[in-house]
Amino acid sequence: MNSPIFQEEEDNFKRAHIERSLSQLHATKILLEKLSSSTDLNHILHATIEALRASFSSQCVSYLFNDPGNEGISLCYVYTTTPLRNDYFPTMLEEMRTFIHNLPQDLDGRQAIETLLSQRHPLFEVVEGAVNDETGQLPKLSHFIPFIFNEQLHGIVCVGFTSEVPLSKEIKDNIDTIVSCAALNFSRMHSLIEIENKKSLEVAQLEAEFISVASHQLRTPLTTIIWSLEMLLSGDVGELTPEQKETVQTLFDNSKKLTTLVNDLLNTSRLGSGRLRVDPKPIKIVPFIEEAVAQVREFAERAQCQIEINTPDQESIPEIPLDETLIAQSIHNLLTNAIRYSPDEGGKIVVSLEKQDDQCVITVADDGIGVPLDQQDNLFTKFFRADNARTKETEGTGLGLHLVKMIADLAGGSVWVDSPKSDGKGSAFHLSLPWTGMQSKEGEVDLAK
Amino acid sequence: MTVIIIDDDPSISRLMEAKLNKEGIEARAFQSSEEGLKELEKGGYALLLLDLLMPGMTGWDVLTAIREKNIPVKTIVISNLSTGEDRNKALDLGATEYVVKSDIDLSKLVEKVRGYLSN
């Protein structure tokens, strides 16, 4: 039978053991709760590190992660409770990255670590030489746990302690448990993500194909309809009575609206998908604006609107690299809006260009119905239409200005409205385009193809 | 003949042909790019209205052939493709101008053609 003193020591030892196990269990439980709903790898690793810290009060806990989609290892997150010398982490990470990148992929985690240890990789020199500025202590990466899923090493969780005391087998086992737990959970999530990615890729491809076919196929018959109606209207195939002409004019106007609608819907879908191809080339903006105005001149005349262009000479303005289709679409949308929402008895529209230091600002100002102040914030959101706009023009889609905004964003510029404008009437829409213009961008889809 | 039209869509090519003829401009339409190119090679055309997406020889192929064979004709590409990339590619291959079909009225197109012919 043990003496009372030994009994007390044994009890204390057991109690401490139980307490550690409980805290360990608690940390694992919290970790699992956090992980169960997460498919975000960063979040999972972060939670793992937090769990390790909670359990072992380590001074420095960090991890490295091998991103399989990114060839080799990449850092997701580094966490340390005590500040380390600034130049310590980049060096260590770079070396770790190279080292892990060069490991055979079929090596399991433990073998990887053994290789790392047996080679006395320079990493260890770096780690041991890293000085904690505040305490002067040497943090040591004393524990490496492979982060394995799908039977492959995807990274190494590095646990560093400032303590000189070697870690007990028990603590090492506990760290292993937490990390294995996270790795296992991630493995499950990873399979789910793979399935989801595959699905969304298929959907995206189908969508791109549909848009490409639909846009070209819709626009071609629309062109035939519009041109045929135009020939009817101009008397090329025989004179029409005034009543007939009026009917054909309605057909013509609505076919035009349909074209705009088709273009807007397809363009929004393309821009929104983020898979749009951008192909900028330097353009002379003044003739470009003049051409855009010429395109809508007839529409304006029918609505009894006058359009005045007020721009400086092109010679004084640098060329801007822009995707012609995109920028033409923006200016076209601003112009057609100005015409549509001008007073019924006609109005004046002024298109101007202001040269600023870092950008040029194109302004389309009208005498129209204006935008109520409380609705201006939402004006550029998808499908939004101001109340007074709905009353005046029932056919609008609420996509035109949204498109202008998306295109402006793409050019690093912006779009905004002054309503009423400085003379107390109508609205002035401003589109700013930095001189740097648009960046070329590869993508699977084109605008308005 | 002064204007040649190459567009595989029969209604589009006939409409352009009819409108130009109505406006007193001689024009002839081809729905096959191979046949159109053969006709172009005979000479006598000042202007070509060219579609891009066509079965067999595409509009880009026609532009390349015109350049290779040194055929003296100006080309307005008139297509429903309207991306910057398509536009730049056609202009690089020697097209004089690029017009998006669904964005232009027939009367505007006639004005353009007249402008080219008067120069």
Side-chain angles (χ1 to χ4, degrees):
Chain A
M1 205 173 150
N2 289 331
S3 73
I5 294 172
F6 285 136
Q7 182 62 48
E8 197 182 330
E9 268 184 11
E10 198 179 315
D11 284 350
N12 283 344
F13 180 77
K14 277 182 185 165
R15 191 175 296 116
H17 179 73
I18 288 167
E19 273 172 7
R20 270 201 305 276
S21 299
L22 274 176
S23 90
Q24 170 63 43
L25 206 64
H26 184 64
T28 314
K29 183 172 162 272
I30 290 173
L31 175 70
L32 284 176
E33 277 169 5
K34 279 186 182 170
L35 296 187
S36 63
S37 58
S38 178
T39 52
D40 177 355
L41 182 65
N42 253 339
H43 171 77
I44 290 170
L45 289 181
H46 186 96
T48 311
I49 301 305
E50 288 300 312
L52 288 170
R53 283 185 57 229
S55 303
F56 309 110
S57 63
S58 69
Q59 294 298 300
C60 160
V61 179
S62 62
Y63 68 75
L64 296 150
F65 179 70
N66 183 13
D67 178 5
N70 224 353
E71 261 193 88
I73 185 155
S74 62
L75 166 75
C76 288
Y77 178 71
V78 173
Y79 187 84
T80 167
T81 50
T82 44
L84 298 171
R85 205 168 65 192
N86 287 342
D87 57 358
Y88 160 61
F89 271 109
T91 320
M92 185 194 86
L93 294 175
E94 193 47 49
E95 298 203 0
M96 190 63 136
R97 181 174 299 149
T98 313
F99 178 79
I100 292 176
H101 185 63
N102 292 333
L103 285 178
Q105 275 296 304
D106 55 356
L107 220 57
D108 78 24
R110 205 156 293 276
Q111 285 170 321
I113 301 302
E114 278 162 13
T115 314
L116 186 91
L117 291 167
S118 69
Q119 287 186 356
R120 288 295 293 164
H121 188 268
L123 170 72
F124 289 97
E125 305 305 320
V126 178
V127 171
E128 283 160 11
V131 177
N132 179 325
D133 285 338
E134 280 187 355
T135 62
Q137 283 181 301
L138 301 176
K140 285 176 185 163
L141 290 187
S142 51
H143 207 84
F144 292 78
I145 307 105
F147 201 78
I148 306 167
F149 54 87
N150 288 354
E151 294 172 358
Q152 279 200 333
L153 169 70
H154 280 254
I156 298 177
V157 175
C158 311
V159 188
F161 294 89
T162 47
S163 160
E164 290 297 317
V165 183
L167 296 179
S168 69
K169 185 184 176 297
E170 185 193 1
I171 288 181
K172 282 184 177 176
D173 285 350
N174 287 345
I175 294 173
D176 272 352
T177 309
I178 288 185
V179 177
S180 310
C181 200
L184 202 68
N185 208 284
F186 182 74
S187 181
R188 188 171 66 86
M189 288 303 168
H190 186 72
S191 313
L192 290 177
I193 292 168
E194 262 184 3
I195 293 167
E196 282 302 309
N197 282 350
K198 208 174 151 212
K199 268 191 204 160
S200 53
L201 194 71
E202 279 169 10
V203 170
Q205 276 166 350
L206 276 176
E207 189 193 298
E209 262 171 49
F210 168 77
I211 288 170
S212 179
V213 172
S215 52
H216 193 265
Q217 304 301 62
L218 285 170
R219 283 155 63 103
T220 302
L222 270 170
T223 309
T224 316
I225 293 169
I226 291 170
W227 283 2
S228 303
L229 294 171
E230 200 189 332
M231 284 191 80
L232 273 171
L233 279 172
S234 58
D236 287 331
V237 282
E239 283 305 316
L240 302 178
T241 65
E243 289 86 0
Q244 285 170 338
K245 206 167 181 173
E246 202 183 317
T247 312
V248 177
Q249 184 70 51
T250 311
L251 281 171
F252 179 80
D253 291 344
N254 281 285
S255 306
K256 282 273 194 184
K257 276 181 190 163
L258 194 55
T259 309
T260 311
L261 176 66
V262 167
N263 286 347
D264 279 357
L265 277 171
L266 296 168
N267 292 344
T268 307
S269 158
R270 281 180 174 151
L271 274 168
S273 71
R275 289 174 288 114
L276 182 81
R277 183 182 298 143
V278 183
D279 195 10
K281 66 168 193 176
I283 63 166
K284 293 182 165 68
I285 194 76
V286 172
F288 197 79
I289 291 173
E290 286 165 354
E291 176 61 26
V293 170
Q295 296 270 351
V296 298
R297 190 75 78 180
E298 209 176 298
F299 176 42
E301 278 164 12
R302 280 209 305 280
Q304 297 177 358
C305 284
Q306 285 183 316
I307 308 183
E308 189 182 301
I309 304 176
N310 185 6
T311 57
D313 281 346
Q314 176 60 47
E315 282 70 45
S316 67
I317 300 168
E319 293 186 359
I320 317 175
L322 295 169
D323 185 301
E324 282 194 26
T325 311
L326 295 173
I327 219 67
Q329 175 86 56
S330 310
I331 300 174
H332 180 84
N333 287 6
L334 292 179
L335 285 169
T336 47
N337 268 4
I339 298 167
R340 261 187 212 126
Y341 300 110
S342 276
D344 287 339
E345 63 277 15
K348 189 176 162 193
I349 295 163
V350 180
V351 186
S352 56
L353 187 143
E354 192 194 340
K355 194 179 149 191
Q356 297 180 351
D357 282 350
D358 51 350
Q359 60 183 4
C360 75
V361 180
I362 299 167
T363 299
V364 178
D366 62 52
D367 295 334
I369 57 174
V371 185
L373 205 58
D374 62 340
Q375 300 188 12
Q376 290 183 9
D377 281 351
N378 292 325
L379 198 56
F380 299 96
T381 39
K382 204 174 183 175
F383 301 122
F384 179 83
R385 299 194 67 214
D387 291 342
N388 57 346
R390 281 174 202 277
T391 326
K392 179 147 183 10
E393 268 278 329
T394 46
E395 290 94 347
T397 55
L399 288 171
L401 287 176
H402 177 63
L403 260 174
V404 179
K405 165 105 176 56
M406 286 202 283
I407 294 168
D409 288 347
L410 208 59
S414 58
V415 58
W416 70 99
V417 65
D418 288 328
S419 185
K421 57 184 165 48
S422 50
D423 61 2
K425 291 192 287 183
S427 314
F429 283 85
H430 311 278
L431 170 66
S432 73
L433 302 166
W435 297 118
T436 44
M438 290 174 173
Q439 299 293 314
S440 169
K441 182 171 154 282
E442 290 292 322
E444 303 120 65
V445 291
D446 300 335
L447 192 69
K449 191 162 189 169
Chain B
M1 285 291 167
T2 49
V3 178
I4 184 166
I5 299 157
I6 303 180
D7 193 322
D8 66 310
D9 187 315
S11 31
I12 296 265
S13 56
R14 274 185 214 138
L15 271 168
M16 283 196 274
E17 188 183 34
K19 180 68 182 175
L20 288 171
N21 287 336
K22 278 272 170 200
E23 297 286 333
I25 299 167
E26 278 185 279
R28 195 169 167 201
F30 289 85
Q31 281 140 43
S32 142
S33 37
E34 286 84 357
E35 280 175 31
L37 187 63
K38 253 184 223 163
E39 182 65 22
L40 257 178
E41 280 181 82
K42 290 180 190 165
Y45 290 96
L47 187 67
L48 163 66
L49 302 182
L50 178 67
D51 187 26
L52 286 179
L53 276 191
M54 291 186 284
M57 206 176 185
T58 67
W60 293 294
D61 296 335
V62 173
L63 284 168
T64 312
I66 290 174
R67 181 176 275 184
E68 279 169 3
K69 294 171 196 278
N70 239 335
I71 303 172
V73 66
K74 286 188 174 168
T75 307
I76 303 179
V77 166
I78 170 147
S79 163
N80 262 332
L81 301 181
S82 69
T83 66
E85 197 198 13
D86 292 322
R87 185 188 297 265
N88 293 348
K89 190 173 159 195
L91 295 175
D92 287 348
L93 284 171
T96 321
E97 193 173 344
Y98 194 104
V99 171
V100 179
K101 216 181 268 178
S102 66
D103 293 350
I104 190 166
D105 289 343
L106 213 40
S107 55
K108 283 269 154 49
L109 186 65
V110 172
E111 266 175 46
K112 249 184 218 306
V113 169
R114 237 190 261 285
Y116 275 95
L117 296 182
S118 65
N119 284 334

